[in-house]
Amino acid sequence: MKNRSFIKNKLKLALLAPAVCFSLMLTSCDKEVTELAPYDRLTEESAFTTPERVELAVAGVYDAAQSGFYAGGAVRGYPFGAAHVEQGDNRGEDMLNLEAFYAITYGSTYNAASANNVYHFETLYAVINKANIVIEGVEKAVADGLITAEVGNAYIGEARFLRALSHHELLVHFARPYNHTPDASHLGVPYRTLPVNTPARVEEAAQQGRDSVRDGYAKLLEDLNYAEANLPETRSKQISRATKGAAIALKTRVKLHMRDWAGVIEEGNKLVPASGPFESAVGGYELTASPDEPFANNGANSESVFSFENSANDNASVNGSLGQMYNVAGGRGLVSISPIIWNAEFWPEDDARRDITKSTARAIYTYKYRDAQTQSDWSPIMRYAEVLLNVAEAEARAGDSARALELLNAVRGRSTDEVYADLAGDALIQAIVNERRIEFLGEGLRWKDIHRLAKEGKYGPAGIPAKVASANLKRDDFVAASGSVRDAAIAIPFIPYDDFRFIWPLPISEINANPVLAAQQNPGY
């Protein structure tokens, strides 16, 4: 409880910079956001006193999501910068951790004090707390006549979108999947809807326990339904600020995790026409001609539904940028593609997605993130390709093989002539899951698929997959589409779904501060 007096002295939360960023309970950080000057010392009381300041307060929530804190306030790309992508990749088998940076995540040797999982948890709740402060502040600004209800509702829609996105990220790392129990009544994470900004709320937060996974997903959908109803269809910053289409797209992901196939199709049909060409009537989303374009043109392409923006003036630093972590051409190249996916038979040798790579004498690396100098690569959250494949899987599971196959081939066919024909049933579902591994390689989505499929144990590993160990890697382990990997290279063993390591522990900082959470720690930690 040592930080409680500190927090009570910091209740006037600076929303922009420097900021006190509240976690689930008692975590704080200082962070500078240079591009928001001259409003760089706004307190919570002053942030909602002019329309311009309200706008900047909303921007502050995006900033917290783009580049949260790390030990001592360093910027490392938490929670939705590079760290989000790297964590999602390194919990899976298709990207390979080469150095010590993500060795704990990659090898599943984490504990309640491990930095990667602790800061992921704490920065996600910092985003949630800022979102909740903005919601409360905007409601007051509307009541005071400072902004119109329409403008206020749109701001709240953005905050609720980011709140839902953050809670879902927490659920896929710190809780078992939706289908772990028949009614999803098992423990999820605390779903926070009030800011921790008064002494009473500090005390309340210190006693809040975990919602069930079922209730957490229900609240997620409430937030996203509100966002859909109140966000605009288009913006000048179409990709880096939440829109109606982004809320709908995220709902297709959430409902896929819930195994609500009809719900995925219902939401997806708002964006995806009944037949090709698949150009969305909402937001104008469509697949780009090349699979490389969403990354070559971060902020101006038709496929990216939502991403977090980075720039030369506001980025995640050398130790937290995608360009540094993944790019070997001028970057540190700490994470490479694994031979496990590179050699997969279902990835054609002539597939154009193999060209979005760089090879060295050691390994093969993704080239989706190419700005190692100023770290300006945006962090991808959702692309239209994912929406198409979400709907494809739901249609396949619901029995409409024809539409599922058409959607699958729309994504696959822009990269290779080796499209599928006459697939149905389990073979079609497996092909869709396999396609996700190719299409979203290096985008942090692999763990989400492992998490939602592991209990079923049919279309993906029934646990944490076996992985190639960097110490055992040889350059000639990479043989495109060969269908096998040298046995000695795969030296990090499979961990079954029932093992406690399948999900992360709640951080020691949180369970020490909250006796309710202490009693609800994930088993085994």
Side-chain angles (χ1 to χ4, degrees):
M1 307 295 283
K2 63 182 180 180
N3 288 331
R4 181 170 294 181
S5 61
F6 171 78
I7 286 205
K8 287 182 177 179
N9 291 331
K10 292 289 188 179
L11 290 176
K12 292 185 177 180
L13 180 64
L15 284 173
L16 301 177
V20 177
C21 309
F22 287 88
S23 153
L24 168 65
M25 201 5 231
L26 301 176
T27 304
S28 66
C29 72
D30 289 328
K31 180 183 182 303
E32 186 172 357
V33 186
T34 57
E35 79 277 15
L36 294 180
Y39 297 104
D40 64 350
R41 295 295 185 272
L42 293 182
T43 66
E44 185 179 342
E45 290 178 347
S46 66
F48 303 98
T49 55
T50 71
E52 294 78 14
R53 289 184 174 190
V54 174
E55 173 81 12
L56 287 173
V58 174
V61 187
Y62 287 92
D63 183 76
Q66 172 243 1
S67 53
F69 55 90
Y70 187 78
V75 177
R76 288 282 182 88
Y78 287 96
F80 287 111
H84 152 74
V85 176
E86 291 154 358
Q87 298 272 57
D89 282 342
N90 278 282
R91 297 201 72 184
E93 76 279 41
D94 290 340
M95 299 297 289
L96 198 167
N97 182 70
L98 295 175
E99 307 296 344
F101 213 83
Y102 277 99
I104 289 173
T105 299
Y106 191 71
S108 303
T109 58
Y110 29 75
N111 57 47
S114 302
N116 292 149
N117 42 290
V118 166
Y119 286 110
H120 211 57
F121 185 99
E122 293 180 346
T123 55
L124 283 163
Y125 275 109
V127 175
I128 291 164
N129 198 59
K130 281 194 172 185
N132 289 334
I133 287 169
V134 163
I135 292 168
E136 192 171 76
V138 168
E139 288 173 344
K140 184 177 185 303
V142 171
D144 291 344
L146 193 64
I147 56 177
T148 66
E150 182 181 6
V151 170
N153 291 342
Y155 285 150
I156 293 171
E158 291 183 82
R160 292 184 70 166
F161 172 85
L162 294 170
R163 183 169 78 181
L165 179 69
S166 299
H167 278 110
H168 190 246
E169 183 77 3
L170 287 158
L171 283 165
V172 298
H173 285 297
F174 295 93
R176 294 277 174 174
Y178 196 88
N179 64 331
H180 179 66
T181 54
D183 60 355
S185 60
H186 53 291
L187 289 176
V189 298
Y191 205 98
R192 301 186 59 80
T193 58
L194 292 174
V196 183
N197 60 348
T198 68
R201 286 177 177 172
V202 169
E203 296 298 333
E204 182 180 351
Q207 299 294 323
Q208 183 178 359
R210 299 168 70 172
D211 290 275
S212 69
V213 167
R214 179 187 60 242
D215 290 346
Y217 271 82
K219 292 174 182 177
L220 273 170
L221 291 174
E222 287 178 12
D223 278 345
L224 292 175
N225 287 336
Y226 183 96
E228 178 191 355
N230 290 282
L231 289 173
E233 288 192 14
T234 59
R235 293 182 180 276
S236 58
K237 286 199 169 187
Q238 173 81 349
I239 296 169
S240 62
R241 287 192 68 169
T243 58
K244 182 185 296 290
I248 296 169
L250 185 54
K251 280 198 285 181
T252 69
R253 178 189 290 176
V254 167
K255 287 181 175 286
L256 197 69
H257 280 257
M258 296 172 68
R259 304 174 68 80
D260 177 5
W261 316 128
V264 176
I265 295 166
E266 179 183 5
E267 296 298 333
N269 283 347
K270 297 174 184 177
L271 301 179
V272 182
S275 60
F278 295 108
E279 181 179 353
S280 175
V282 177
Y285 308 114
E286 61 181 338
L287 295 176
T288 57
S290 161
D292 183 50
E293 190 176 342
F295 306 95
N297 300 292
N298 282 304
N301 70 86
S302 63
E303 184 172 334
S304 295
V305 177
F306 184 74
S307 299
F308 283 103
E309 182 176 352
N310 287 289
S311 70
N313 293 324
D314 185 15
N315 56 47
S317 81
V318 171
N319 283 330
S321 75
L322 290 164
Q324 283 287 337
M325 295 293 111
Y326 285 84
N327 186 355
V328 73
R332 301 178 69 186
L334 303 186
V335 182
S336 77
I337 296 170
S338 173
I340 290 173
I341 186 64
W342 189 260
N343 296 4
E345 282 186 297
F346 56 77
W347 190 1
E349 189 172 2
D350 66 350
D351 193 306
R353 289 168 292 192
R354 291 188 184 274
D355 297 332
I356 316 174
T357 60
K358 293 287 184 181
S359 297
T360 70
R362 183 182 188 187
I364 300 174
Y365 302 79
T366 183
Y367 194 55
K368 287 181 174 178
Y369 315 109
R370 54 206 65 184
D371 182 12
Q373 183 174 3
T374 62
Q375 293 87 245
S376 66
D377 295 287
W378 290 22
S379 178
I381 300 299
M382 178 159 272
R383 293 193 282 120
Y384 193 52
E386 183 188 345
V387 178
L388 297 183
L389 291 178
N390 290 348
V391 178
E393 183 178 337
E395 291 282 20
R397 288 180 180 266
D400 190 344
S401 298
R403 188 179 188 218
L405 188 62
E406 186 180 10
L407 290 165
L408 167 61
N409 283 335
V411 175
R412 186 175 177 87
R414 71 162 168 189
S415 299
T416 177
D417 292 332
E418 294 185 34
V419 295
Y420 294 106
D422 300 324
L423 283 182
D426 287 351
L428 176 55
I429 296 169
Q430 186 66 70
I432 294 166
V433 173
N434 291 346
E435 196 66 25
R436 296 174 69 92
R437 293 175 63 182
I438 304 168
E439 181 65 27
F440 308 122
L441 184 64
E443 295 179 52
L445 289 183
R446 181 57 182 150
W447 175 251
K448 288 182 172 65
D449 281 344
I450 291 170
H451 184 266
R452 69 181 178 85
L453 295 169
K455 175 70 174 178
E456 184 179 23
K458 191 173 182 179
Y459 305 108
I464 301 173
K467 305 174 185 179
V468 171
S470 61
N472 296 41
L473 180 69
K474 295 181 179 180
R475 183 59 181 81
D476 57 12
D477 287 328
F478 294 88
V479 184
S482 63
S484 65
V485 179
R486 183 173 56 91
D487 289 342
I490 303 177
I492 298 177
F494 169 79
I495 297 173
Y497 173 77
D498 290 336
D499 190 285
F500 73 95
R501 290 169 291 178
F502 185 78
I503 53 175
W504 282 343
L506 304 182
I508 192 71
S509 57
E510 306 300 338
I511 63 174
N512 282 348
N514 185 331
V516 178
L517 284 184
Q520 295 178 330
Q521 175 64 287
N522 287 326
Y525 292 105

